[in-house]
Amino acid sequence: MAGNTFTSNDAKDLSIVIISFNTVEYTRDCLTSVYENIGVLNAEIIVVDNDSQDGSVEMIRSEFPEAILIENNDNRGFAAANNQAFEICKARLVLLLNSDTLVLGNVLQESVLYMNNNPSVGAFGCRVLNTDRTVQRTCSQFPSLTNQLLQTLGVDRLSHPKFFGRYQMRHWDRDTEREVEVISGCYLIVRQEVLNTVGYLDENFFFFGEETDWCRRIHRAGWLLKFSPVGEIIHHGSVSAWKLNERRDLLLGEAKVKLHLKYGGMAPAILVFFLLFSFNFSRAVFWSLRSLIDSKSKKRALHFRSVTRKNFSYWPGKLT
């Protein structure tokens, strides 16, 4: 396949994998945007539904019969559902695409061309926008102990020095190409060769952490991980992620502890656990005190007190 052309005949340029779970309207919009912007690509679209109860399966069957649909009888999580799709992907390149995204313009074609022209790149991410078209901070550093400490201290949002914002790479507008450590799973392209040699997503991560772990494994196998603003998508999820969600916070904390347990052992895992505990405890104290003079703060106070109480659900010793 030439560097600036696409495949022809029965060969596939791209396998697009979308995981669906009770997001029927988002999934409809996502699939519509994919089919409208697929262009000249020879692509297959695979949707794995994790036992949605909102009519997602029926909608996909009736409105997008061309899509390959895998129906699960329970919610198997993000990693396991993607792995099911990987088993049947036929293209040289595989795109993980969240169901709450919109593909814009020719980003799919440009992404494939980028991978064609950069054979040393094993994983790739494009520019991602929030619903209001502001830039979303996808791509980051690994959540190391240093980065977790900066977040716990609350200095990661400060403008200066730049070191403080290193975890989410806050001083970078995502308008230039660069090598990164972690690419968000909302739009992540990998080579079939990566699947064959590095392996699939680690199903020990139910939700959160799986793409971080995968990116580290891909890098350790000698591949480059790159971001390039070749095109854009909209990812609605980032906006809703700011809403208080106890289960999300606990799953995110558990994922970070698992990452350090996997790559550093028990000692780093215990350290990151206490950093997370300190983060939630300090927020619980702050918002509880503030709620004494501002009733609007009561909801946040209750949230962080509850998360703090449940922190020990992911004590490292329980995860081995």
Side-chain angles (χ1 to χ4, degrees):
M1 180 173 175
N4 59 355
T5 61
F6 301 110
T7 55
S8 58
N9 301 324
D10 294 329
K12 299 290 184 184
D13 296 303
L14 186 65
S15 296
I16 302 174
V17 178
I18 300 170
I19 308 305
S20 168
F21 178 63
N22 291 329
T23 56
V24 60
E25 296 301 330
Y26 282 127
T27 303
R28 174 186 287 115
D29 292 343
C30 176
L31 286 167
T32 299
S33 74
V34 168
Y35 281 108
E36 287 180 349
N37 294 291
I38 204 71
V40 298
L41 288 177
N42 188 350
E44 61 179 358
I45 291 86
I46 303 171
V47 183
V48 183
D49 186 82
N50 268 335
D51 195 29
S52 294
Q53 302 298 313
D54 63 350
S56 289
V57 167
E58 293 76 14
M59 180 275 294
I60 295 166
R61 280 180 184 160
S62 63
E63 298 182 29
F64 304 96
E66 307 93 341
I68 300 168
L69 177 62
I70 299 174
E71 300 175 50
N72 288 332
N73 295 322
D74 57 353
N75 184 358
R76 300 188 182 182
F78 186 75
N82 273 291
N83 289 347
Q84 285 179 273
F86 296 160
E87 292 286 349
I88 62 172
C89 287
K90 295 183 175 65
R92 297 175 311 100
L93 299 173
V94 177
L95 167 63
L96 280 65
L97 183 67
N98 274 20
S99 63
D100 59 346
T101 61
L102 293 174
V103 171
L104 302 179
N106 61 352
V107 64
L108 296 173
Q109 298 174 67
E110 292 298 324
S111 296
V112 171
L113 287 176
Y114 180 90
M115 293 296 282
N116 291 347
N117 293 325
N118 296 272
S120 61
V121 175
F124 168 80
C126 74
R127 202 163 192 254
V128 180
L129 306 178
N130 294 308
T131 306
D132 61 4
R133 300 297 181 110
T134 56
V135 177
Q136 197 171 121
R137 292 192 184 94
T138 53
C139 298
S140 67
Q141 292 189 355
F142 186 80
S144 64
L145 288 171
T146 298
N147 288 334
Q148 193 61 55
L149 177 61
L150 293 172
Q151 192 175 55
T152 300
L153 295 174
V155 299
D156 58 312
R157 296 177 181 273
L158 297 179
S159 300
H160 299 286
K162 289 185 177 181
F163 178 83
F164 286 164
R166 54 179 254 153
Y167 180 22
Q168 292 187 326
M169 308 171 81
R170 289 180 175 273
H171 291 85
W172 171 41
D173 292 330
R174 274 65 176 176
D175 54 359
T176 56
E177 181 178 323
R178 67 170 59 186
E179 188 174 347
V180 295
E181 293 182 3
V182 178
I183 301 170
S184 169
C186 72
Y187 188 97
L188 170 58
I189 291 183
V190 299
R191 298 184 185 277
Q192 185 71 243
E193 187 178 348
V194 167
L195 296 179
N196 295 336
T197 58
V198 176
Y200 293 178
L201 290 164
D202 186 344
E203 296 181 15
N204 286 319
F205 296 91
F206 180 80
F207 195 71
F208 293 126
E210 57 280 295
E211 74 262 49
T212 302
D213 167 70
W214 209 25
C215 286
R216 172 152 282 206
R217 287 158 50 204
I218 292 169
H219 180 263
R220 286 188 168 186
W223 294 96
L224 295 177
L225 289 85
K226 284 290 194 75
F227 167 95
S228 184
V230 300
E232 297 174 331
I233 68 164
I234 291 174
H235 180 212
H236 299 297
S238 178
V239 176
S240 61
W242 289 106
K243 297 178 182 178
L244 297 179
N245 186 319
E246 179 182 298
R247 177 167 168 75
R248 178 208 63 205
D249 286 3
L250 292 171
L251 285 172
L252 181 58
E254 179 180 318
K256 289 182 177 181
V257 171
K258 282 183 176 179
L259 283 167
H260 285 273
L261 194 61
K262 181 172 182 177
Y263 290 102
M266 185 60 71
I270 290 174
L271 285 173
V272 79
F273 170 85
F274 280 112
L275 284 173
L276 290 165
F277 179 84
S278 299
F279 175 87
N280 289 315
F281 179 76
S282 64
R283 271 58 178 180
V285 171
F286 173 80
W287 289 109
S288 294
L289 292 175
R290 184 163 175 170
S291 68
L292 298 176
I293 57 174
D294 178 14
S295 60
K296 294 181 180 179
S297 300
K298 186 176 181 180
K299 187 175 181 180
R300 288 188 177 275
L302 291 172
H303 169 78
F304 282 107
R305 288 206 296 264
S306 179
V307 172
T308 300
R309 285 196 300 270
K310 297 177 181 178
N311 255 135
F312 280 88
S313 64
Y314 55 81
W315 171 253
K318 295 181 178 180
L319 304 179
T320 54

